[in-house]
Amino acid sequence: MKISARRIDKTTIFDVSGDIDMSNSPEVRNALLAELRGSKASRVVLNLTEVVYMDSSGVASLVEGLKASRESGSRFVLFGLSPSAREVLKISRLLKLFEIYDDEEQAMSA
Amino acid sequence: MPGGIGPVSDNRVRDFRRICGRMLTGPEDLIAYRTSYVSLPGSRGYEMKRPSNPSNAFLLKLELRSHPGLLCVVRGAMEPLMGMLGFSAAECRSITRAVDEALSNIMRHSYRGRLDQVIGVSCRRIQRRAHAGICKGIEVLLIDSGPAIDPAKLCGRPLDEVRPGGLGLHLMRECMDSVEYTRRGRLNQLRLVKYAQPSKSRPCP
C-alpha cells in the first residue's frame, strides 16, 4: 500500500494504491488524522481509485477521519471506490455517512 | 515488511500440525488431504490412497504465521479458488472478506498481535438439500491455538453507533451463511460456511 498527498488550493488529496488491511491501515489513519488535525486544509479528499480491497480496519480509519473532520470543521471526501470498498461500507451501514463521488473531477467541483 | 517474518519454532509447528490433524480431520478426510499432495518421482512421501468420498476432499489447506503481512497472500489464494468453484464475483469477494476478517481477528485478539504464532486454514466443498435440489457450498475452517474466547464477546456491537472498530464479526456474519465458533481441546475453531446462490446462468459450484 502506498499513500501520497498533493495539495490544490485549500484541498489536500491523498492518493492511495494497493489493498488497505490490518497490516497498513494505521498508515492511512495517521496520514488522515495528521492532515485533518494539523493543517489548514478546508477539505481532505481520499482517492481510492487504486484500492481494490479494504478491510474493517480500513473502514475504521475512514470513520476516524470523518470524526476528525467534523471536529475541525473541514470536509472529508472519498472518490473512486472499488466494488469491494463500496460493499464493505454498505455492509457496515456507513455508505450514506460519507461524502462519496465517482471521480476526482466530481469530488473537486462538489 | 514491518516486523519482519522470522523463523517459527519447528516444535511449535509440529505440535500444531499434530493437534490440528487430530482435531480437524477424520480418517477419510486425512486420506483425502494426503492424496492432494503431488508425489515427486523417487519420493517416498505420502501413501497415495484414493479417498472413499472424493467430494469431501480438502480443496486447500494452509498454515500461516500470525503476521498481518500474510493476509494478502490468503486473499490472493481464496478469491480465485472461489471463482474456480463457480461462485459469482460478489460471492467470491464476500467469502474472501470473511476469511480475511477472521484471520485479522485471530491475529489481533487471539494472538494479541504476536507475529510468530500459527494459524491453520482449510477449505472443502459441502452440500445441502434445498427446495431446488442439492445446493453446493464451501466450508472454511480457521484454527488457532490462542486462549479460549468468551462466547459473550462474539455478539458484535450495534451498528447504530458510528465509531471505529468492532466491525469484523459483523462483516463475517453478513458475508457468510454461517459463522460458528468452537473450542476444541486447546484450539479455537472458527467455521465459515457459504452456499452458492442459485442462478439460471451458471451451475452450482
Side-chain angles (χ1 to χ4, degrees):
Chain A
M1 194 279 296
K2 290 181 181 174
I3 182 165
S4 59
R6 54 196 163 98
R7 187 176 286 258
I8 302 174
D9 298 327
K10 288 187 175 181
T11 298
T12 301
I13 303 172
F14 284 103
D15 299 303
V16 189
S17 62
D19 292 354
I20 302 176
D21 65 15
M22 181 188 169
S23 70
N24 53 39
S25 59
E27 284 181 62
V28 178
R29 174 187 178 276
N30 292 341
L32 288 175
L33 295 186
E35 188 66 20
L36 287 161
R37 289 173 179 167
S39 82
K40 293 179 180 175
S42 60
R43 180 170 52 179
V44 172
V45 178
L46 195 59
N47 173 8
L48 295 170
T49 309
E50 300 294 323
V51 174
V52 175
Y53 178 81
M54 180 165 61
D55 76 351
S56 61
S57 71
V59 174
S61 299
L62 299 190
V63 171
E64 287 201 70
L66 183 68
K67 289 198 161 189
S69 73
R70 288 176 175 174
E71 288 166 9
S72 64
S74 51
R75 285 172 65 193
F76 182 51
V77 176
L78 314 177
F79 77 85
L81 271 66
S82 67
S84 176
R86 192 172 285 274
E87 280 165 8
V88 72
L89 288 177
K90 187 178 178 184
I91 297 169
S92 307
R93 298 178 201 167
L94 295 168
L95 197 57
K96 291 179 180 174
L97 209 66
F98 289 95
E99 199 176 337
I100 299 172
Y101 298 97
D102 290 339
D103 53 38
E104 185 169 335
E105 190 180 351
Q106 283 182 18
M108 295 299 283
S109 61
Chain B
M1 187 176 288
I5 300 179
V8 185
S9 154
D10 285 346
N11 287 339
R12 187 184 294 277
V13 173
R14 202 177 300 125
D15 187 47
F16 188 86
R17 282 181 178 155
R18 180 174 55 77
I19 296 168
C20 272
R22 191 173 68 231
M23 301 308 298
L24 272 181
T25 54
E28 289 184 355
D29 283 343
L30 194 58
I31 292 167
Y33 171 43
R34 286 176 174 176
T35 57
S36 69
Y37 277 79
V38 176
S39 182
L40 296 173
S43 76
R44 293 182 178 178
Y46 289 94
E47 188 181 356
M48 298 298 286
K49 289 180 181 174
R50 284 194 177 278
S52 57
N53 180 5
S55 66
N56 208 24
F58 284 112
L59 293 162
L60 179 74
K61 194 160 186 173
L62 297 170
E63 282 177 2
L64 67 144
R65 295 191 46 196
S66 52
H67 195 295
L70 294 172
L71 289 169
C72 62
V73 177
V74 179
R75 291 198 300 270
M78 290 300 297
E79 195 158 341
L81 175 64
M82 297 309 136
M84 283 168 55
L85 292 175
F87 284 101
S88 70
E91 288 168 339
C92 291
R93 289 196 297 271
S94 286
I95 297 165
T96 304
R97 177 177 306 287
V99 173
D100 186 70
E101 293 292 342
L103 288 172
S104 296
N105 273 357
I106 291 169
M107 291 174 185
R108 183 180 291 118
H109 300 298
S110 188
Y111 287 144
R112 299 173 192 274
R114 287 186 63 180
L115 306 177
D116 60 349
Q117 304 299 295
V118 185
I119 304 172
V121 182
S122 62
C123 309
R124 65 172 186 160
R125 293 180 200 214
I126 55 171
Q127 60 184 34
R128 69 176 177 188
R129 291 186 187 280
H131 295 300
I134 298 292
C135 188
K136 295 186 177 180
I138 186 84
E139 175 196 75
V140 184
L141 297 178
L142 297 107
I143 308 290
D144 72 80
S145 56
I149 298 166
D150 179 1
K153 292 183 177 175
L154 293 173
C155 298
R157 68 167 175 85
L159 297 182
D160 306 337
E161 187 186 355
V162 179
R163 64 174 173 88
L167 290 172
L169 192 61
H170 171 75
L171 292 176
M172 275 187 263
R173 288 194 170 130
E174 286 289 319
C175 290
M176 304 300 283
D177 293 321
S178 167
V179 177
E180 297 168 9
Y181 165 76
T182 315
R183 181 72 176 174
R184 290 184 171 269
R186 290 184 291 158
L187 298 174
N188 295 311
Q189 176 181 290
L190 192 68
R191 180 175 182 262
L192 308 176
V193 171
K194 179 79 171 177
Y195 291 100
Q197 292 297 314
S199 167
K200 290 178 182 174
S201 60
R202 64 185 168 84
C204 251

